[in-house]
Amino acid sequence: MKNSIDKIINTQRDFFLTHETKPIAYRIAALKRLKSEINKREQDIHKAVNLDFKKSEFESVLSETGIVQKELNLLIKNLARWSRPERVKSSMLNFPSADYIYKDPYGTILIIAPWNYPFQLAIVPLIGAIAAGNTAVVKPSELTPNTSKVINEICKTVFDEAYVSVVQGGVEVSQELLSKRWDYIFFTGSVFVGKIVAKAAAEFLTPVTLELGGKNPCIIDHTAKLKLAAKRLVWAKFLNGGQTCVAPDYILIDNKVKTEFIKHYQNEIKKAYGENPQESPDYPRIINEKNFNRLEAMLKDERIPFGGRTDKNDLYIEPTIIDQPDLDSEVMKDEIFGPILPVLGYDNETEINAIIKTYDKPLSFYVFSTRKAYIKKLLSSYSFGGGVINDAIVYYANPNLPFGGVGNSGIGGYHGKQTFETFTHNKAVSKRANWLDAPIRYAPYKGKLGQLKTFLKYF
Ligand code: NAD
């Protein structure tokens, strides 16, 4: 593996240096080939994701191929415009000059993807890397072998290995890849592994994007439309079986409306998944036994007004509510990443702050309220990657909004134009003219300081 990774990197570097990937027409043609192959293999992708963790075709279209197709269309349409050198105002200090920002590819990119949206989170960064004129190596997750296989087949069909190549494998392969010099690393996954990636990147001062996780709070005040909030939050919490980085992790709710909210929430779960969600074709499974055990341990000794049934053989955990867990309980320690919703009541809004501040800056932040001033106050009080008022997750679907974390939830972002920008180095170029050469900057400086100060003051 070691030798073959070195070989792939060297071949990709050579390919990049031949400038093959730089012409815009070449990149657009590559994106179009990718689009057409994904269209052709759409059913295989959905089947693979379903085999990996029983995700329904509807959720796959919504959150895997749908998002990928949207991103492909947007980048194909706008690439010529976004990649043009951008003329900027020149500095009078350099007069006469014409100044530009050139949109330059980094070179050879490493993309490491997680298992939870196994197709989308490997392919959208790849679209960005190609659009920006790079070559790329993609390492999909070992926990979704069926999807990783299809990703490999698609890339093999569409691209020369010297351009885009898929390396499959687990932690060891990932570490081997990280031990090499890259021009950019794009990582999506846990905070724990994100730190390993950052350390490896530091060795070569490689720039990184880290798309990580966190504990996303969801505040519901006494003015919220409770029934609608419950409906939206059932969708947001149980989409992908709760295994979503932007899922609402826990609810902070005014005690005056808590019982009513829980009642609505239970009803909405039944409406969505029936009396026995294990039989619903729309309800995914936990990815593996390790995560199943981790989640099952969170249920122990808790008050569970709804749900709580599990089936290890089927990696099934019922949509579950935990009522008022302690802050030091298992479920409140780290990101849950499963179909378990802790509901914490508050009597006074000042209690909210103490709980949210217990955790690192979250990836997402949600508020259900109809009080504009209160919403405004919350938005300015907390730092978070992105958020939604009166709903959850949906900001992710708008390519005009950048997606990424802050602090422990990540570094950098992508989606839409930012997907292109992330894989692009902004190369600054001043083009000086020769017809004038102001003498002021040249030594000897004697007698010129006054002129310089006047110049700096007015220009
Ligand atoms: P993970 O960090 O365990 O694995 C991600 C990738 O890193 C995989 O390809 C894996 O092979 C590799 N990896 C695992 N351990 C490694 C190690 N020790 N050294 C080097 N590489 C290693 O994450 P996961 O379980 O696949 O995904 C779940 C996590 O990802 C959650 O924390 C979730 O919040 C986060 N996530 C974030 C986003 C986002 O866009 N911000 C999206 C999806 C998931």
Side-chain angles (χ1 to χ4, degrees):
M1 179 54 74
K2 203 174 163 74
N3 289 343
S4 65
I5 287 176
D6 283 332
K7 194 171 151 221
I8 291 169
I9 297 173
N10 289 335
T11 322
Q12 289 215 354
R13 276 199 199 294
D14 289 346
F15 191 73
F16 181 73
L17 291 173
T18 60
H19 302 283
E20 288 271 355
T21 65
K22 292 195 177 171
I24 305 308
Y26 183 90
R27 304 181 200 175
I28 292 179
L31 292 174
K32 284 186 175 166
R33 285 200 310 278
L34 180 62
K35 181 179 162 177
S36 137
E37 188 62 20
I38 290 173
N39 276 342
K40 211 164 96 193
R41 301 289 307 268
E42 199 175 348
Q43 279 312 312
D44 296 336
I45 299 164
H46 299 318
K47 266 187 214 145
V49 178
N50 185 272
L51 274 175
D52 282 330
F53 59 113
K54 288 201 180 165
K55 182 160 157 168
S56 68
E57 185 177 352
F58 182 91
E59 285 197 4
S60 250
V61 171
L62 179 75
S63 65
E64 305 278 1
T65 49
I67 288 189
V68 164
Q69 294 291 12
K70 235 168 113 184
E71 197 79 353
L72 271 166
N73 291 340
L74 192 79
L75 270 81
I76 290 170
K77 186 170 164 220
N78 293 292
L79 187 56
R81 192 162 49 88
W82 291 343
S83 51
R84 245 178 248 143
E86 184 188 336
R87 176 98 192 246
V88 294
K89 205 170 159 221
S90 306
S91 163
M92 281 307 282
L93 281 170
N94 299 335
F95 183 80
S97 102
D99 290 11
Y100 296 87
I101 301 170
Y102 278 77
K103 302 290 173 180
D104 218 30
Y106 279 99
T108 299
I109 312 282
L110 173 63
I111 295 164
I112 300 181
W115 59 266
N116 65 325
Y117 288 87
F119 186 73
Q120 186 226 131
L121 294 175
I123 300 295
V124 172
L126 175 63
I127 294 168
I130 293 170
N134 304 280
T135 62
V137 170
V138 181
K139 212 251 357 123
S141 174
E142 69 279 20
L143 301 187
T144 43
N146 297 291
T147 312
S148 299
K149 185 168 163 270
V150 178
I151 290 174
N152 187 33
E153 288 164 4
I154 290 175
C155 289
K156 269 202 149 77
T157 308
V158 174
F159 307 108
D160 188 320
E161 243 204 6
Y163 185 20
V164 172
S165 145
V166 175
V167 174
Q168 297 188 75
V171 177
E172 274 176 31
V173 169
S174 190
Q175 287 177 344
E176 182 60 32
L177 287 164
L178 286 169
S179 70
K180 310 292 176 196
R181 179 189 286 273
W182 300 90
D183 297 303
Y184 200 98
I185 300 175
F186 189 102
F187 171 81
T188 309
S190 60
V191 174
F192 176 77
V193 181
K195 289 180 184 175
I196 293 174
V197 173
K199 278 185 195 155
E203 179 64 25
F204 299 107
L205 288 180
T206 307
V208 287
T209 293
L210 300 176
E211 295 283 344
L212 311 177
K215 240 176 147 43
N216 306 321
C218 175
I219 298 165
I220 304 178
D221 81 358
H222 63 284
T223 69
K225 303 281 177 216
L226 291 183
K227 192 165 182 296
L228 185 59
K231 188 172 165 187
R232 290 179 173 174
L233 284 168
V234 164
W235 174 80
K237 184 71 188 182
F238 303 119
L239 174 80
N240 220 41
Q243 303 160 116
T244 302
C245 56
V246 287
D249 189 275
Y250 61 98
I251 303 280
L252 291 168
I253 186 164
D254 191 319
N255 271 327
K256 291 196 280 294
V257 293
K258 185 173 142 196
T259 310
E260 192 188 341
F261 171 77
I262 291 180
K263 203 177 80 208
H264 286 307
Y265 201 74
Q266 294 173 4
N267 286 339
E268 293 299 335
I269 293 174
K270 284 186 198 155
K271 274 201 228 162
Y273 303 110
E275 286 297 330
N276 182 5
Q278 193 166 8
E279 285 169 3
S280 164
D282 298 330
Y283 190 68
R285 295 300 183 261
I286 304 308
I287 188 66
N288 60 10
E289 206 173 305
K290 186 175 162 209
N291 273 291
F292 176 91
N293 291 339
R294 184 182 61 80
L295 289 163
E296 197 180 41
M298 291 177 187
L299 306 179
K300 201 165 165 267
D301 301 331
E302 295 291 357
R303 278 180 295 277
I304 298 180
F306 189 87
R309 278 178 291 188
T310 63
D311 178 351
K312 194 171 190 157
N313 290 329
D314 190 24
L315 296 176
Y316 167 78
I317 294 187
E318 194 177 12
T320 297
I321 302 170
I322 296 187
D323 186 13
Q324 216 59 37
D326 290 337
L327 280 187
D328 58 5
S329 63
E330 274 309 308
V331 77
M332 291 309 290
K333 269 187 193 149
D334 291 313
E335 179 186 17
I336 299 169
F337 221 60
I340 300 171
L341 184 74
V343 180
L344 292 95
Y346 63 81
D347 292 318
N348 187 317
E349 275 162 5
T350 54
E351 295 164 37
I352 291 173
N353 189 44
I355 296 174
I356 293 178
K357 287 278 154 100
T358 310
Y359 305 103
D360 291 309
K361 293 176 183 178
L363 181 60
S364 309
F365 189 92
Y366 304 121
V367 182
F368 287 77
S369 170
T370 53
R371 288 184 295 159
K372 284 192 177 143
Y374 180 57
I375 293 167
K376 194 171 164 197
K377 186 174 140 216
L378 287 173
L379 288 180
S380 65
S381 301
Y382 297 103
S383 175
F384 51 87
V388 189
I389 308 303
N390 291 319
D391 206 338
I393 294 186
V394 294
Y395 77 104
Y396 190 91
N398 180 359
N400 300 317
L401 291 172
F403 177 74
V406 58
N408 259 44
S409 55
I411 296 173
Y414 67 139
H415 284 187
K417 191 175 182 198
Q418 215 192 336
T419 300
F420 168 74
E421 292 287 349
T422 287
F423 294 98
T424 298
H425 166 60
N426 283 319
K427 192 156 81 177
V429 177
S430 271
K431 293 184 180 170
R432 295 288 321 274
N434 296 329
W435 58 268
L436 180 75
D437 193 35
I440 179 172
R441 76 173 201 230
Y442 299 108
Y445 302 132
K446 195 160 182 257
K448 292 181 179 170
L449 188 59
Q451 280 176 47
L452 178 66
K453 284 186 175 169
T454 308
F455 187 86
L456 290 175
K457 194 166 168 190
Y458 292 105
F459 295 105

